[in-house]
Amino acid sequence: MQETATTKLETIMGADGLSRLQAATVMVLGCGGVGSNCIEALARGAIGRIVIVDKDVVAPSNINRQAIAFTSTVGRRKVDVMAAMIADINPSCEVVARDAFVLPDNLEALMRDCLDACGGRIDCIVDAIDTVSTKLALAELAPALGIPLISSMGAANKLHPECLRIADIHDTVRDPLARIVRKECRRRGIRHLRVLYSCEEPARTPGRDPESGRERTELGTASFMPPIMGQMIAGEVIRRLSGVGCEEVRPDGTVVR
């Protein structure tokens, strides 16, 4: 039997699971550290259609963590580099790209536009954006549209990937971004939001402007944290969409079916 790009995936997912992935549409908002690595894994995971949204261009500081960031891509639009990478990995994957800011004010119109481009169906949304106000707006809109959502919390000043967890926002601990989102979710009456977060205490870093007397620290990002986060989110999405591997796994490694 001749190997194909999906041979190993079909071995673990089965023919039916693979077919479900190939028929699925996933939307990823943000092509940064988490988003670009998530998209790469989704493309390698045989997702049939991927919607990508980002207004930024590749910058030199992106090279330490973003799947699309190389010296050769600096200055290019992220969605263009991302779309080319998807095509090189999975030529059969349809790409819907939007070079656009994702803001509370344009979110609903953007979602409607992307839904129209996808024949009215998006199976899952990945929030890999940085802006709290947009995260919250998306947490309100996605349930209203009936689309499952998973949201990434912060990778800044984190060094231990073993502390990463997928949980409801209301069960998160020791994650500064999750703390803000959790508080606002309570205030807005958002009862559920599935997130990836880190329970690690953020590393202490020097202040941004020591002479100002302010205690706000500089935010740094390890090369390995955003890629691992993106891969973990992609794994969650692929398991859910394929229907394979959705069982609960306890800390001791036992599986609860």
Side-chain angles (χ1 to χ4, degrees), residues 162 164-166 197 199 247-256:
E162 65 271 23
L164 291 167
R165 305 281 187 273
I166 293 175
Y197 81 103
C199 63
E247 307 88 354
E248 178 189 352
V249 180
R250 291 173 174 167
D252 63 0
T254 58
V255 175
V256 181

Side-chain angles (χ1 to χ4, degrees), residues 27-31 51-58 68 75-83 95-103 106 110 113-114:
M27 181 179 199
V28 182
L29 298 172
C31 296
V51 183
I52 58 175
V53 184
D54 200 303
K55 185 62 177 175
D56 207 357
V57 298
V58 179
I68 52 174
R76 292 178 58 190
R77 298 195 313 179
K78 288 186 177 181
V79 289
D80 293 340
V81 181
M82 194 81 256
V95 179
V96 176
R98 294 292 183 267
D99 180 46
F101 290 113
V102 186
L103 304 168
N106 75 342
L110 177 64
D113 171 53
C114 291

Side-chain angles (χ1 to χ4, degrees), residues 184-255:
E184 285 299 311
C185 281
R186 284 197 295 264
R187 190 175 70 82
R188 297 181 184 214
I190 299 172
R191 299 182 63 183
H192 299 289
L193 174 60
R194 196 161 181 81
V195 302
L196 174 68
Y197 81 103
S198 171
C199 63
E200 175 190 359
E201 285 286 355
R204 293 184 178 275
T205 54
R208 292 185 179 180
D209 184 5
E211 296 181 1
S212 70
R214 297 178 181 176
E215 295 185 359
R216 190 175 184 185
T217 59
E218 187 69 44
L219 298 179
T221 311
S223 62
F224 50 86
M225 283 296 288
I228 292 171
M229 293 174 71
Q231 295 275 340
M232 285 184 68
I233 291 175
E236 175 77 357
V237 171
I238 288 170
R239 289 191 299 271
R240 297 287 172 180
L241 293 179
S242 68
V244 179
C246 299
E247 307 88 354
E248 178 189 352
V249 180
R250 291 173 174 167
D252 63 0
T254 58
V255 175

Side-chain angles (χ1 to χ4, degrees), residues 1-14 18:
M1 180 178 176
Q2 185 176 1
E3 283 195 354
T4 69
T6 59
T7 298
K8 297 298 184 181
L9 188 63
E10 185 174 357
T11 299
I12 192 167
M13 294 293 178
L18 178 61

Side-chain angles (χ1 to χ4, degrees), residues 21-35:
L21 294 174
Q22 292 171 327
T25 297
V26 179
M27 181 179 199
V28 182
L29 298 172
C31 296
V34 175

Side-chain angles (χ1 to χ4, degrees), residues 57-185:
V57 298
V58 179
S61 62
N62 300 154
I63 292 174
N64 84 314
R65 65 196 183 281
Q66 298 187 12
I68 52 174
F70 303 88
T71 55
S72 61
T73 61
V74 169
R76 292 178 58 190
R77 298 195 313 179
K78 288 186 177 181
V79 289
D80 293 340
V81 181
M82 194 81 256
M85 178 179 282
I86 295 169
D88 202 17
I89 293 169
N90 183 359
S92 64
C93 179
E94 179 185 345
V95 179
V96 176
R98 294 292 183 267
D99 180 46
F101 290 113
V102 186
L103 304 168
D105 292 344
N106 75 342
L107 182 60
E108 186 166 0
L110 177 64
M111 285 299 308
R112 297 294 181 186
D113 171 53
C114 291
L115 277 166
D116 287 345
C118 297
R121 195 195 84 199
I122 293 174
D123 297 296
C124 184
I125 301 172
V126 174
D127 159 24
I129 50 185
D130 298 326
T131 311
V132 172
S133 59
T134 307
K135 285 182 176 294
L136 292 163
L138 186 58
E140 292 177 316
L141 181 60
L145 295 174
I147 306 174
L149 166 68
I150 181 166
S151 180
S152 174
M153 296 293 102
N157 293 4
K158 301 295 181 81
L159 293 167
H160 292 276
E162 65 271 23
C163 294
L164 291 167
R165 305 281 187 273
I166 293 175
D168 188 273
I169 186 65
H170 298 291
D171 297 325
T172 58
V173 294
R174 290 190 293 277
D175 187 308
L177 178 56
R179 185 182 304 118
I180 296 169
V181 174
R182 186 173 65 243
K183 180 179 178 180
E184 285 299 311
C185 281

